[in-house]
Amino acid sequence: MMPTIVVVGTTMVIFALKAFDVVYVMTAGNYNTDILARRMYSELYNAGNYANASALAVVLLLAVVPVLIFNLRQFRAVEARR
Amino acid sequence: MSVATAAPPTTPSAHPQVRRTRWSERISAGVAGAGLQVAVLALTLAWIVPTLGLLINSFRTGGAFNTSGWWTALAPPFNFTLESYRHVLGASDLAPSFFNSFMITIPATIIPTAVAAFAAYAFSWMRFWGRDWIFLALVGLLAVPLQVTFIPLLTLAVHFGLTSGNNFFGLNAGFLAVWIAHTGYGLPFAIYLLANFFRVLPQDLFESAEIDGAGPVTVFFRLVLPLSVPAIASLVIFQFLWVWNDLLVALIYVGGTPEVAPLTVTLTNLVGSLGQHIEYLTAAAFVSMFVPLIVFFALQRYFVRGILAGSVKG
């Protein structure tokens, strides 16, 4: 079961981190509900602030890194077992 | 959205195994399983309630839809009407948009699945330099919100002439753009899913195939593909649902003109820009749900067959 749970867990965490449309449609980031992906979009296309948008993209990538490391360890474990 | 309604039928399929055990075991298992069954049933019901509300709303008049909750329609003065369905099914460009939806969805499902199967095989069973790191980069790509890619990719598509005004060997070039876009958006997840499935196939199979003189291509087509039918079927379902339900990518890459608009775009256009006749969307949802349901039930038997085949047992 473990590989399956890792796959589903990874996908869900990453999909939740990159959520965009629901927040964009419902509050557009107002009322303290802004998230990384939507902020990146508004920095880039509304504010024209390329540097901030790139920084947010890097932050988003960094937020995914723990999941990536966990995945890497899981791969290695599966490789070692077979 | 229709995944939610389609998913529950898979859960009861685990039960026949429980029923085949002996009487005494059945009773004790029944007592223990009752709690589980109640939980599963409650979850399924909770899951299905919004869809049920949507279904009931699709049979109500526009006025009632806007002023009261769907549950009020269940009380005796029944005022059900087929008005929304009549309007949605009577839309003049419904047939062409069904065609366009298939035109977009079928290649945009087959291409990423095929590419992902090859790539996943390489990632899980071939040794090459930087394999793990490329794979990690791929998983990292899952985190790119596709909304931020629209402008750069559309600029690129326009630069190469892949817009719906142009012809590409008799094919509307906009379709080509949307196929490529969906392939790109779908690939990270597709490769990730398939590679994780391929990776846990037993090594003995690969060793014996190698001893029998099978090359990588033979191993892929004769061994990996037949064993991975359940994973590929689920990937096809996922990808089909995403592309079929997709509004934004199609709107951006092929545009909203009637001759290229897929079903989602056409149905959304039934609603006025200020939200007039928003009740048509309820009926539209069920019209649009029809095809993914057929695909789901057509492919569901491959899950069962894959589990019963048993060739993955050590």
Side-chain angles (χ1 to χ4, degrees):
Chain A
M1 277 303 270
M2 199 53 199
T4 315
I5 292 170
V6 169
V7 174
V8 176
T10 307
T11 335
M12 293 319 291
V13 167
I14 289 179
F15 281 18
L17 275 173
K18 73 166 187 178
F20 174 88
D21 38 9
V22 175
V23 176
Y24 183 79
V25 168
M26 293 192 74
T27 64
N30 293 313
Y31 320 113
N32 293 327
T33 55
D34 212 357
I35 54 170
L36 279 177
R38 207 216 65 85
R39 189 62 185 277
M40 176 157 77
Y41 176 89
S42 65
E43 289 284 352
L44 184 58
Y45 296 127
N46 300 343
N49 207 334
Y50 284 42
N52 280 9
S54 320
L56 279 168
V58 173
V59 170
L60 189 61
L61 186 68
L62 286 180
V64 182
V65 163
V67 182
L68 295 186
I69 292 172
F70 181 64
N71 257 284
L72 187 66
R73 291 173 61 169
Q74 192 66 30
F75 303 156
R76 297 257 161 90
V78 171
E79 298 259 298
R81 221 180 302 144
R82 73 185 182 201
Chain B
M1 291 306 150
S2 36
V3 190
T5 51
T10 51
T11 31
S13 63
H15 296 306
Q17 283 185 332
V18 178
R19 283 194 204 111
R20 256 179 242 127
T21 50
R22 250 183 280 131
W23 260 105
S24 54
E25 288 171 2
R26 259 177 80 172
I27 292 166
S28 57
V31 174
L36 186 70
Q37 295 223 355
V38 168
V40 168
L41 213 68
L43 276 176
T44 312
L45 277 179
W47 206 252
I48 230 162
V49 159
T51 315
L52 193 72
L54 196 70
L55 180 68
I56 290 168
N57 264 338
S58 71
F59 289 108
R60 297 173 76 203
T61 59
F65 172 88
N66 284 326
T67 52
S68 58
W70 58 268
W71 52 90
T72 53
L74 298 174
F78 297 115
N79 282 321
F80 292 124
T81 166
L82 285 172
E83 187 50 44
S84 299
Y85 283 95
R86 199 173 300 134
H87 197 92
V88 167
L89 293 174
S92 57
D93 36 13
L94 192 73
S97 49
F98 252 107
F99 174 79
N100 289 335
S101 265
F102 279 113
M103 191 71 186
I104 290 170
T105 310
I106 293 173
T109 306
I110 293 173
I111 301 170
T113 311
V115 175
F118 287 122
Y121 174 58
F123 275 124
S124 50
W125 287 101
M126 286 174 164
R127 302 210 160 269
F128 53 88
W129 183 84
R131 183 184 70 167
D132 286 356
W133 296 105
I134 298 173
F135 192 76
L136 276 197
L138 194 90
V139 181
L141 278 182
L142 278 173
V144 178
L146 63 89
Q147 286 83 359
V148 300
T149 67
F150 285 154
I151 292 180
L153 275 187
L154 190 62
T155 315
L156 208 64
V158 171
H159 183 255
F160 286 110
L162 296 178
T163 48
S164 57
N166 293 342
N167 246 346
F168 187 83
F169 296 113
L171 178 87
N172 194 319
F175 285 135
L176 204 68
V178 83
W179 294 343
I180 294 171
H182 273 303
T183 305
Y185 294 143
L187 268 182
F189 176 74
I191 297 175
Y192 179 66
L193 184 84
L194 287 184
N196 275 291
F197 192 89
F198 290 175
R199 186 172 282 123
V200 294
L201 293 175
Q203 180 147 37
D204 304 354
L205 286 174
F206 290 84
E207 278 168 3
S208 33
E210 214 167 298
I211 288 164
D212 288 346
V217 178
T218 319
V219 170
F220 177 75
F221 282 107
R222 304 286 293 274
L223 200 63
V224 176
L225 274 194
L227 285 177
S228 314
V229 168
I232 290 170
S234 53
L235 177 63
V236 166
I237 288 176
F238 269 128
Q239 183 71 18
F240 190 94
L241 281 175
W242 280 334
V243 180
W244 184 268
N245 289 337
D246 161 73
L247 168 75
L248 200 53
V249 176
L251 197 56
I252 283 170
Y253 293 98
V254 294
T257 47
E259 60 270 18
V260 288
L263 198 60
T264 44
V265 175
T266 308
L267 294 179
T268 315
N269 286 341
L270 292 176
V271 180
S273 55
L274 297 175
Q276 309 98 315
H277 292 300
I278 201 167
E279 73 270 12
Y280 291 157
L281 281 187
T282 54
F286 281 91
V287 171
S288 165
M289 206 184 280
F290 190 59
V291 173
L293 276 185
I294 292 175
V295 171
F296 179 80
F297 286 116
L299 289 178
Q300 203 195 8
R301 65 200 184 99
Y302 289 107
F303 292 126
V304 182
R305 185 178 292 172
I307 295 159
L308 292 181
S311 41
V312 194
K313 281 179 201 154

